[in-house]
Amino acid sequence: MSTPLAHIVDDDEAIRDALTWLFRTKEVASAEWDSAEEFLAAWQPDWRGCIVLDIRMREMSGLECFDVLQERGNTLPVIFLTGHGDVPMAVSALKKGAFDFLEKPFEDNALVDVVIRALAQDAKRQASQATQASVSNHLALLTPREQEVMNLVLAGKFNKVIADELNISMRTVEVHRARVFEKMGVRSAVELAQLLAPSRDKGSGSSGEH
């Protein structure tokens, strides 16, 4: 997995150098790009970190770059650097999903604070994705019968009711229930429900209706 970076996209070399130095003093790893085109040519969907993007550049503008990133499904938080006259454009970008914007001249600590918040948001997203991938892998280990039992457990039904509905013995239900907990890495129905809540909220469909 790639190292989290604050990607500085600005056609002003002095600003790139200043931001790189600033981030280094705050122990924030960064990368420099002298144009939107150069950045887009290198961009990868599995990058981690955030993007510090100047709105006005010589060729492709920051807003145009932002639009392309959105079309590509970019998930990195985007922080715009704006001049005074660009604030309305930056506000418009916020409504389209940008993380934040700072107006030039900005205060160094204010920018660093925003970047650190953006990096934290991206780290949280990455962790959530990793958790969901792990959950999916665990679900794939369940047999069809274990999935049936799991869904009835999540519906709050007691072992006896589950046994009656599936026409199996209570002992068999207990065995399946224990295997479900073991394979999913939980110790209780409450933990199981908490683990599966995000995917079930998205309508992932593993709700074997009976």
Side-chain angles (χ1 to χ4, degrees), residues 129-164:
Q129 286 184 340
T131 297
Q132 288 307 304
S134 175
V135 168
S136 296
N137 290 337
H138 287 200
L139 285 171
L141 299 175
L142 301 181
T143 66
R145 179 62 89 185
E146 288 167 354
Q147 290 188 16
E148 287 182 309
V149 170
M150 180 187 73
N151 287 319
L152 293 173
V153 168
L154 290 170
K157 298 190 176 182
F158 295 111
N159 287 355
K160 185 178 186 309
V161 176
I162 295 173
D164 290 343

Side-chain angles (χ1 to χ4, degrees), residues 26-48:
K26 303 297 183 179
E27 298 184 346
V28 173
S30 64
E32 293 183 40
W33 308 92
D34 64 13
S35 69
E37 293 89 339
E38 182 189 32
F39 175 70
L40 290 172
W43 177 89
Q44 296 293 324
D46 62 345
W47 276 0
R48 300 163 59 204

Side-chain angles (χ1 to χ4, degrees), residues 170-210:
M170 274 189 60
R171 175 58 185 156
T172 301
V173 172
E174 291 168 359
V175 170
H176 285 316
R177 184 183 180 114
R179 286 176 178 166
V180 167
F181 287 1
E182 180 183 0
K183 289 180 179 180
M184 296 304 296
V186 299
R187 293 169 296 179
S188 68
V190 172
E191 285 187 18
L192 181 63
Q194 291 173 339
L195 180 67
L196 294 176
S199 58
R200 292 172 79 86
D201 288 345
K202 291 177 184 176
S204 62
S206 76
S207 67
E209 297 295 328
H210 56 277

Side-chain angles (χ1 to χ4, degrees), residues 41-198:
W43 177 89
Q44 296 293 324
D46 62 345
W47 276 0
R48 300 163 59 204
C50 68
I51 303 168
V52 181
L53 184 58
D54 190 29
I55 275 195
R56 290 191 183 276
M57 290 183 281
R58 282 186 293 274
E59 300 295 333
M60 177 183 283
S61 73
L63 289 173
E64 290 170 330
C65 178
F66 181 63
D67 287 341
V68 173
L69 287 169
Q70 286 197 306
E71 290 171 3
R72 293 183 180 181
N74 170 69
T75 56
L76 296 183
V78 176
I79 301 161
F80 278 107
L81 301 183
T82 75
H84 177 68
D86 300 328
V87 170
M89 287 189 288
V91 171
S92 175
L94 283 181
K95 294 178 179 177
K96 291 163 60 177
F99 184 77
D100 207 342
F101 74 91
L102 281 89
E103 187 178 350
K104 300 174 183 176
F106 46 81
E107 205 271 320
D108 287 354
N109 287 333
L111 174 58
V112 171
D113 286 347
V114 172
V115 167
I116 289 174
R117 283 195 292 111
L119 292 172
Q121 175 179 290
D122 184 61
K124 184 177 180 180
R125 177 189 61 81
Q126 291 280 349
S128 176
Q129 286 184 340
T131 297
Q132 288 307 304
S134 175
V135 168
S136 296
N137 290 337
H138 287 200
L139 285 171
L141 299 175
L142 301 181
T143 66
R145 179 62 89 185
E146 288 167 354
Q147 290 188 16
E148 287 182 309
V149 170
M150 180 187 73
N151 287 319
L152 293 173
V153 168
L154 290 170
K157 298 190 176 182
F158 295 111
N159 287 355
K160 185 178 186 309
V161 176
I162 295 173
D164 290 343
E165 290 199 19
L166 297 181
N167 196 27
I168 56 179
S169 70
M170 274 189 60
R171 175 58 185 156
T172 301
V173 172
E174 291 168 359
V175 170
H176 285 316
R177 184 183 180 114
R179 286 176 178 166
V180 167
F181 287 1
E182 180 183 0
K183 289 180 179 180
M184 296 304 296
V186 299
R187 293 169 296 179
S188 68
V190 172
E191 285 187 18
L192 181 63
Q194 291 173 339
L195 180 67
L196 294 176

